[in-house]
């Protein structure tokens, strides 16, 4: 990665000097992992900040998803979205659960609740929606279907750190929600993740599962895994938390700039913004329609020639990957909205402290193409 290159994101980092006292403490105490003091402090601080009842920290969101399915004893089939990062479905496969892909709502780009019931079979045990780009799913409609059919709901909330609808955190929806704290996310601990639980018993169970199934020194009650976040990650998290509001604010300003500058470009549209939504501005996806002079892919390559690297999240669709193609629900003909969107969306670079000149360069490349200045 050269310094001049512009990537879809650039991770926020706490000042190195602020990190040193935390490192000294780790070195002094010799407590490196296994639910140490910083881990405990971060769990409490995050639960407070996110306004959620209970949270369990993990080494990353993929392991957290795998553990969440195990905690809820899921099996058989789980209904999910084709339009996500591949980890969403991979985590099901690691539990020998078959993903059943259902098309997305073209407005929110999330699992379309109107299509879920038709995909339920006697093997279905849960619904796994994703709040894609932090845009909330239709939580009420999904819960109503789950309640009617006795299904669990696990939200892949990897993009949804701190997102609220009205006054309510969307992370409290469903049975469990899973967050990612990967380097590329709004709040990062280098690698990391978490499960949000509704009650103490669920949290305790998840905490046992992420520690091999140990409940005390000599008792292992379940086949657990090692999903623990270590003290270094937790220290990073504690420092990041002090700055995350400012980081989101800085993202909001870039979001506003892009929207203003690109508002009247024919063939470029922005994503739906629900009225009572408080976004974390984690991504800036634009949809490139047929009225724009070049295709999404041509625009993507044009940017690359200028050493700007937006991303085609999420292309290809998960069901287009080789290991999913054999599934009946992976037939792309039944997923027309997801297919269309995966060929049209481009996520523009957005990250705190992104220089205004870089934002201007990105905008001017798009405007020049729109005005036919560059073929
Ligand atoms: N569910 C959903 C819906 C997800 O989106 C994800 C992850 C997960 C589950 C699983 O969460 P984790 O198990 O990862 O916690 C990235 C991330 O690796 C992945 O976490 C994320 N979603 C996905 C949407 O994006 P890539 O393949 O795009 O990463 P990469 O390495 O190409 O990074 C993108 C750009 O960011 C690079 O071009 C440069 C910049 N970058 C990246 C890293 C890692 C940096 O500047 N510094 C860095 O350290 O997947």
């Amino acid at each position: 990665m050269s310094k001049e290159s512009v990537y879809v994101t650039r991770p926020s980092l706490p000042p190195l000097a602020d990190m040193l006292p935390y490192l000294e403490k780790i070195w002094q105490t010799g407590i490196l992992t296994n639910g140490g003091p910083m881990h405990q402090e971060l769990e409490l601080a995050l639960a407070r900040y996110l306004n959620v009842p209970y949270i369990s920290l993990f080494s990353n969101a993929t392991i957290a998803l795998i553990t969440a399915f195990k905690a809820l004893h899921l099996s058989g089939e789980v209904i999910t979205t084709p339009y996500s990062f591949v980890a969403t479905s991979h985590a099901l496969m690691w539990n020998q659960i078959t993903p059943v892909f259902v098309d997305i709502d073209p407005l929110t780009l999330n699992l379309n609740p109107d299509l879920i019931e038709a995909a339920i079979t006697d093997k279905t045990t849960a619904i796994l929606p994703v709040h894609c780009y932090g845009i909330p799913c239709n939580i009420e409609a999904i819960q109503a279907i789950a309640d009617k059919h006795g299904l669990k709901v696990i939200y892949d909330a990897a993009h949804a750190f701190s997102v609220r609808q009205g006054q309510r955190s969307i992370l409290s929806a469903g049975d469990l929600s899973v967050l990612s704290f990967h380097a590329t996310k709004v709040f990062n601990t280098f690698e990391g993740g978490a499960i949000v639980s509704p009650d103490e018993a669920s949290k305790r169970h998840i905490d046992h599962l992420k520690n091999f199934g140990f409940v005390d020194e000599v008792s292992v009650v379940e086949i657990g895994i090692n999903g623990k976040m270590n003290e270094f990650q937790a220290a990073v998290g504690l420092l990041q938390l002090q700055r995350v509001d400012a980081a989101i604010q800085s993202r909001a300003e870039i979001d506003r700039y892009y929207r203003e500058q690109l508002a009247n470009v024919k063939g470029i549209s922005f994503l739906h913004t629900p009225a009572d939504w408080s976004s974390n501005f984690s991504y800036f996806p634009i949809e490139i329609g047929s009225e724009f002079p070049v295709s999404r892919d041509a625009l993507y390559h044009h940017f690359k020639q200028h050493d700007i690297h937006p991303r085609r999240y999420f292309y290809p669709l998960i069901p287009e990957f080789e290991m999913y193609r054999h599934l009946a629900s992976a037939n792309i003909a039944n997923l027309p909205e997801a297919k269309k969107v995966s060929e049209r969306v481009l996520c523009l670079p957005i990250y705190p402290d992104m220089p205004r000149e870089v934002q201007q360069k990105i905008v001017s490349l798009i405007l020049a193409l729109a005005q036919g200045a560059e073929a």
Side-chain angles (χ1 to χ4, degrees), residues 1 6-11 59-65 83-89 130-133 156-159 178-185 190-193 283 309-311 313-314:
M1 277 178 232
V6 177
Y7 293 97
V8 69
T9 192
R10 198 179 157 84
S59 48
N60 62 63
T62 306
I63 296 287
L65 281 167
Y83 191 70
S84 181
F85 190 59
V86 73
T88 308
S89 289
V130 177
H131 301 295
C132 192
Y133 309 131
D156 180 337
H159 303 173
V178 174
L179 285 158
S180 170
F181 305 148
H182 181 261
T184 55
K185 298 296 191 285
F190 285 30
E191 290 271 3
Y283 295 87
H309 305 271
R311 290 299 286 265
Y313 296 133
F314 288 99

Coordinates of all heavy atoms in Angstrom, one line a residue, residues 1 6-11 59-65 83-89 130-133 156-159 178-185 190-193 283 309-311 313-314, ligand 1:
M1 N 0.8 -1.2 0.0 CA 0.0 0.0 0.0 C 0.9 1.2 0.0 O 1.6 1.5 1.0 CB -0.9 0.0 1.3 CG -2.1 -0.8 1.2 SD -3.0 -0.7 2.7 CE -3.2 -2.5 3.0
V6 N -5.3 5.7 -2.6 CA -6.5 6.0 -1.8 C -7.3 4.7 -1.8 O -7.7 4.2 -2.8 CB -7.3 7.2 -2.4 CG1 -8.6 7.4 -1.6 CG2 -6.5 8.4 -2.4
Y7 N -7.5 4.2 -0.6 CA -8.3 2.9 -0.5 C -9.7 3.2 0.1 O -9.9 4.3 0.5 CB -7.5 2.0 0.5 CG -6.2 1.5 -0.2 CD1 -5.0 2.1 0.1 CD2 -6.3 0.5 -1.2 CE1 -3.8 1.7 -0.6 CE2 -5.1 0.1 -1.8 CZ -3.9 0.7 -1.5 OH -2.8 0.3 -2.2
V8 N -10.5 2.2 0.0 CA -11.9 2.4 0.4 C -12.0 2.8 1.8 O -12.9 3.5 2.2 CB -12.7 1.1 0.1 CG1 -12.3 -0.1 1.0 CG2 -14.2 1.3 0.2
T9 N -11.0 2.4 2.6 CA -10.9 2.9 4.0 C -9.5 3.0 4.5 O -8.6 2.4 3.8 CB -11.7 2.0 5.0 OG1 -11.9 2.7 6.2 CG2 -11.1 0.6 5.2
R10 N -9.3 3.7 5.5 CA -8.0 3.8 6.2 C -8.3 3.7 7.7 O -9.0 4.6 8.2 CB -7.4 5.1 5.8 CG -5.9 5.2 6.0 CD -5.4 6.6 5.5 NE -4.2 6.9 6.2 CZ -3.0 6.5 5.7 NH1 -2.9 5.8 4.6 NH2 -1.9 6.8 6.4
P11 N -7.8 2.7 8.3 CA -8.3 2.5 9.7 C -7.9 3.6 10.6 O -6.8 4.2 10.5 CB -7.5 1.2 10.1 CG -7.2 0.5 8.9 CD -7.0 1.6 7.9
S59 N -12.6 -12.5 19.2 CA -11.4 -12.3 18.4 C -11.7 -11.7 17.0 O -10.9 -11.0 16.5 CB -10.5 -13.6 18.3 OG -11.4 -14.6 17.9
N60 N -12.8 -12.1 16.5 CA -13.3 -11.5 15.2 C -14.8 -11.8 15.1 O -15.3 -12.7 15.8 CB -12.5 -11.9 14.0 CG -12.5 -13.4 13.8 OD1 -13.6 -14.0 13.5 ND2 -11.4 -14.1 14.0
A61 N -15.4 -11.2 14.1 CA -16.9 -11.4 13.9 C -17.2 -12.8 13.3 O -18.3 -13.3 13.6 CB -17.5 -10.3 13.1
T62 N -16.3 -13.3 12.6 CA -16.6 -14.6 11.9 C -16.7 -15.7 13.0 O -17.7 -16.5 13.0 CB -15.6 -15.0 10.9 OG1 -15.5 -13.9 10.0 CG2 -15.9 -16.3 10.2
I63 N -15.8 -15.7 13.9 CA -15.9 -16.7 15.1 C -17.1 -16.4 15.9 O -17.7 -17.3 16.5 CB -14.6 -16.6 15.9 CG1 -13.3 -17.1 15.1 CG2 -14.7 -17.5 17.2 CD1 -13.2 -18.5 14.8
A64 N -17.4 -15.1 16.1 CA -18.6 -14.7 16.9 C -19.9 -15.3 16.2 O -20.7 -15.8 16.9 CB -18.6 -13.2 17.0
L65 N -19.9 -15.2 14.9 CA -21.1 -15.7 14.2 C -21.2 -17.2 14.4 O -22.3 -17.8 14.7 CB -21.0 -15.4 12.7 CG -21.4 -14.0 12.2 CD1 -21.0 -13.8 10.8 CD2 -22.9 -13.7 12.4
Y83 N -26.6 -10.9 -0.5 CA -25.8 -9.7 -0.7 C -25.1 -9.3 0.6 O -25.6 -8.5 1.4 CB -26.8 -8.6 -1.1 CG -26.1 -7.3 -1.6 CD1 -25.4 -7.3 -2.8 CD2 -26.2 -6.1 -0.9 CE1 -24.8 -6.2 -3.3 CE2 -25.5 -5.0 -1.3 CZ -24.9 -5.0 -2.5 OH -24.2 -3.9 -3.0
S84 N -24.0 -9.9 0.8 CA -23.2 -9.7 2.1 C -21.7 -10.1 1.8 O -21.4 -10.7 0.8 CB -23.8 -10.5 3.2 OG -23.1 -10.2 4.4
F85 N -20.9 -9.9 2.8 CA -19.6 -10.5 2.8 C -19.7 -12.0 3.0 O -20.6 -12.4 3.7 CB -18.8 -9.8 3.9 CG -17.3 -10.1 3.9 CD1 -16.5 -9.7 2.8 CD2 -16.7 -10.7 5.0 CE1 -15.1 -10.0 2.8 CE2 -15.3 -10.9 5.0 CZ -14.5 -10.6 3.9
V86 N -18.8 -12.7 2.4 CA -18.9 -14.2 2.4 C -18.9 -14.8 3.8 O -19.5 -15.9 4.0 CB -17.8 -14.8 1.5 CG1 -16.5 -14.7 2.1 CG2 -18.2 -16.1 1.0
A87 N -18.4 -14.1 4.8 CA -18.3 -14.6 6.1 C -19.7 -15.0 6.7 O -19.9 -15.9 7.5 CB -17.6 -13.7 7.1
T88 N -20.7 -14.2 6.2 CA -22.1 -14.4 6.8 C -22.5 -15.9 6.5 O -22.9 -16.6 7.4 CB -23.0 -13.4 6.1 OG1 -22.5 -12.1 6.2 CG2 -24.4 -13.5 6.7
S89 N -22.3 -16.3 5.3 CA -22.7 -17.7 4.9 C -21.7 -18.7 5.4 O -22.0 -19.9 5.8 CB -23.0 -17.9 3.4 OG -24.1 -17.2 3.1
V130 N -28.7 -9.3 7.5 CA -27.5 -8.4 7.6 C -28.0 -7.0 7.5 O -28.8 -6.7 6.6 CB -26.5 -8.7 6.5 CG1 -25.3 -7.8 6.6 CG2 -26.0 -10.1 6.5
H131 N -27.6 -6.1 8.4 CA -27.9 -4.7 8.3 C -26.8 -4.1 7.3 O -25.8 -3.6 7.8 CB -27.8 -3.9 9.6 CG -28.7 -4.4 10.7 ND1 -30.1 -4.4 10.6 CD2 -28.5 -5.0 11.9 CE1 -30.7 -4.8 11.7 NE2 -29.7 -5.3 12.5
C132 N -27.0 -4.3 6.1 CA -26.0 -4.0 5.1 C -25.7 -2.5 5.1 O -26.6 -1.7 5.0 CB -26.4 -4.5 3.7 SG -25.1 -4.5 2.5
Y133 N -24.4 -2.2 5.1 CA -23.9 -0.8 5.2 C -24.5 -0.1 6.4 O -24.5 1.2 6.4 CB -24.3 0.0 3.9 CG -24.0 -0.7 2.6 CD1 -24.9 -0.7 1.6 CD2 -22.7 -1.2 2.3 CE1 -24.6 -1.3 0.4 CE2 -22.4 -1.8 1.1 CZ -23.4 -1.8 0.1 OH -23.1 -2.4 -1.1
D156 N -26.5 -10.3 11.6 CA -25.2 -10.0 11.3 C -25.1 -8.4 11.2 O -25.5 -7.8 10.3 CB -24.7 -10.6 9.9 CG -23.3 -10.3 9.6 OD1 -22.8 -9.3 10.1 OD2 -22.7 -11.0 8.8
A157 N -24.6 -7.9 12.3 CA -24.6 -6.4 12.5 C -23.1 -5.9 12.3 O -22.7 -4.9 13.0 CB -25.2 -6.0 13.8
A158 N -22.4 -6.6 11.5 CA -21.0 -6.3 11.3 C -20.8 -4.8 10.9 O -19.8 -4.2 11.3 CB -20.3 -7.2 10.3
H159 N -21.8 -4.2 10.2 CA -21.6 -2.9 9.7 C -22.4 -1.9 10.6 O -22.4 -0.7 10.3 CB -22.3 -2.7 8.3 CG -21.7 -3.6 7.3 ND1 -22.2 -3.8 6.0 CD2 -20.6 -4.5 7.3 CE1 -21.5 -4.7 5.3 NE2 -20.5 -5.1 6.1
V178 N -24.4 -9.7 16.0 CA -23.0 -9.9 15.9 C -22.3 -8.7 15.3 O -22.7 -8.3 14.2 CB -22.6 -11.2 15.2 CG1 -21.1 -11.3 15.0 CG2 -23.2 -12.4 15.9
L179 N -21.3 -8.1 16.0 CA -20.6 -6.9 15.5 C -19.2 -7.3 15.0 O -18.6 -8.3 15.6 CB -20.4 -5.9 16.7 CG -21.6 -5.1 17.1 CD1 -21.5 -4.6 18.5 CD2 -21.9 -4.0 16.1
S180 N -18.7 -6.6 14.1 CA -17.3 -6.7 13.7 C -16.5 -5.5 14.1 O -16.9 -4.4 13.9 CB -17.1 -6.9 12.2 OG -15.8 -6.9 11.8
F181 N -15.3 -5.7 14.7 CA -14.4 -4.6 15.0 C -13.1 -4.8 14.1 O -12.0 -4.5 14.6 CB -14.0 -4.6 16.5 CG -15.2 -4.6 17.4 CD1 -15.1 -5.3 18.7 CD2 -16.3 -4.0 17.1 CE1 -16.1 -5.2 19.6 CE2 -17.4 -3.9 18.0 CZ -17.3 -4.6 19.2
H182 N -13.3 -5.3 12.9 CA -12.1 -5.4 12.0 C -11.5 -4.0 11.7 O -12.2 -3.0 11.7 CB -12.6 -6.1 10.7 CG -11.5 -6.4 9.7 ND1 -11.3 -5.5 8.7 CD2 -10.5 -7.3 9.7 CE1 -10.2 -6.0 8.0 NE2 -9.8 -7.0 8.6
A183 N -10.3 -4.1 11.3 CA -9.6 -2.8 10.9 C -10.4 -1.9 10.0 O -10.2 -0.7 10.1 CB -8.2 -3.2 10.3
T184 N -11.2 -2.5 9.1 CA -11.9 -1.6 8.1 C -13.2 -1.1 8.7 O -13.9 -0.4 7.9 CB -12.2 -2.5 6.9 OG1 -12.9 -3.7 7.3 CG2 -10.9 -2.9 6.2
K185 N -13.5 -1.3 9.9 CA -14.8 -0.9 10.4 C -14.7 0.4 11.2 O -13.6 0.9 11.5 CB -15.3 -2.0 11.4 CG -15.5 -3.4 10.7 CD -16.6 -3.3 9.7 CE -17.1 -4.6 9.1 NZ -16.2 -5.3 8.2
F190 N -8.2 -3.7 15.7 CA -7.4 -4.4 14.7 C -8.2 -5.5 14.1 O -8.7 -5.4 13.0 CB -6.1 -4.9 15.3 CG -5.0 -3.8 15.5 CD1 -5.4 -2.5 15.8 CD2 -3.7 -4.1 15.5 CE1 -4.5 -1.5 16.1 CE2 -2.7 -3.1 15.7 CZ -3.1 -1.8 16.0
E191 N -8.3 -6.6 14.8 CA -9.3 -7.7 14.5 C -10.2 -7.7 15.8 O -9.7 -7.4 16.9 CB -8.7 -9.0 14.4 CG -7.8 -9.3 13.2 CD -8.6 -9.8 12.0 OE1 -9.9 -10.0 12.1 OE2 -8.0 -10.1 10.9
G192 N -11.5 -8.1 15.6 CA -12.3 -8.2 16.8 C -13.8 -8.3 16.4 O -14.1 -8.1 15.3
G193 N -14.6 -8.6 17.4 CA -16.0 -8.7 17.2 C -16.7 -8.9 18.5 O -16.1 -8.9 19.6
Y283 N -20.0 3.2 5.3 CA -19.7 3.0 3.8 C -20.4 4.2 3.1 O -21.3 4.8 3.6 CB -20.3 1.7 3.3 CG -19.6 0.5 4.0 CD1 -20.1 0.0 5.2 CD2 -18.5 -0.1 3.4 CE1 -19.5 -1.2 5.8 CE2 -17.9 -1.2 3.9 CZ -18.4 -1.7 5.1 OH -17.8 -2.8 5.7
H309 N -9.0 3.4 -5.0 CA -9.4 2.0 -5.0 C -10.7 1.8 -4.2 O -10.8 1.4 -3.1 CB -8.3 1.1 -4.4 CG -7.0 1.3 -5.1 ND1 -6.6 0.5 -6.2 CD2 -6.0 2.2 -4.9 CE1 -5.5 0.9 -6.6 NE2 -5.0 1.9 -5.9
P310 N -11.8 2.2 -4.9 CA -13.1 1.9 -4.3 C -13.4 0.4 -4.3 O -12.6 -0.3 -4.9 CB -14.1 2.7 -5.2 CG -13.4 2.8 -6.5 CD -12.0 2.7 -6.3
R311 N -14.4 0.0 -3.6 CA -14.7 -1.5 -3.6 C -16.1 -1.8 -4.1 O -17.0 -1.0 -3.9 CB -14.5 -2.1 -2.2 CG -13.0 -2.1 -1.8 CD -12.1 -2.9 -2.7 NE -12.4 -4.3 -2.5 CZ -11.6 -5.1 -1.6 NH1 -10.6 -4.6 -1.0 NH2 -11.9 -6.4 -1.5
Y313 N -18.3 -3.8 -3.0 CA -19.0 -4.6 -2.0 C -20.5 -4.6 -2.4 O -21.1 -3.5 -2.4 CB -18.9 -3.9 -0.6 CG -17.5 -3.9 -0.1 CD1 -17.0 -2.7 0.5 CD2 -16.7 -5.0 -0.1 CE1 -15.7 -2.7 1.0 CE2 -15.4 -5.0 0.5 CZ -14.9 -3.8 1.0 OH -13.7 -3.8 1.5
F314 N -21.2 -5.7 -2.7 CA -20.7 -7.0 -2.6 C -20.9 -7.7 -3.9 O -22.0 -8.1 -4.3 CB -21.5 -7.8 -1.5 CG -21.1 -7.3 -0.1 CD1 -21.9 -6.3 0.5 CD2 -19.9 -7.7 0.4 CE1 -21.5 -5.9 1.8 CE2 -19.5 -7.2 1.7 CZ -20.3 -6.3 2.3
Ligands
LIG1 N1 -20.3 -10.0 8.2 C1 -20.2 -9.0 7.4 C2 -21.5 -8.4 6.8 C3 -19.0 -8.4 7.1 O1 -18.9 -7.3 6.2 C4 -17.8 -9.0 7.6 C5 -16.5 -8.5 7.3 C6 -18.0 -10.1 8.5 C7 -19.2 -10.6 8.7 C8 -16.8 -10.7 9.1 O2 -16.1 -9.9 10.1 P1 -14.7 -10.2 10.6 O3 -14.5 -11.6 10.8 O4 -13.7 -9.7 9.5 O5 -14.5 -9.4 11.8 C9 -12.9 -6.4 4.4 C10 -12.7 -7.0 5.8 O6 -11.6 -7.9 5.9 C11 -13.9 -7.6 6.4 O7 -13.8 -7.6 7.8 C12 -15.2 -6.9 6.0 N2 -16.4 -7.5 6.4 C13 -15.3 -6.7 4.5 C14 -16.5 -6.0 4.1 O8 -14.2 -5.9 4.1 P2 -11.6 -6.9 2.2 O9 -11.3 -8.2 1.5 O10 -12.3 -5.8 1.5 O11 -10.4 -6.3 3.0 P3 -9.1 -5.6 2.4 O12 -7.9 -6.2 3.1 O13 -9.1 -5.7 0.9 O14 -9.3 -4.1 2.9 C15 -10.0 -3.1 2.2 C16 -9.1 -1.9 2.1 O15 -8.9 -1.4 3.4 C17 -7.7 -2.2 1.6 O16 -7.7 -2.0 0.2 C18 -6.8 -1.2 2.3 C19 -7.6 -0.8 3.6 N3 -6.9 -1.4 4.7 C20 -7.2 -2.7 5.1 C21 -6.6 -3.3 6.2 C22 -7.0 -4.8 6.5 C23 -6.0 -0.7 5.5 O17 -5.7 0.4 5.1 N4 -5.4 -1.3 6.6 C24 -5.7 -2.6 6.9 O18 -5.2 -3.1 8.0 O19 -12.5 -7.4 3.5

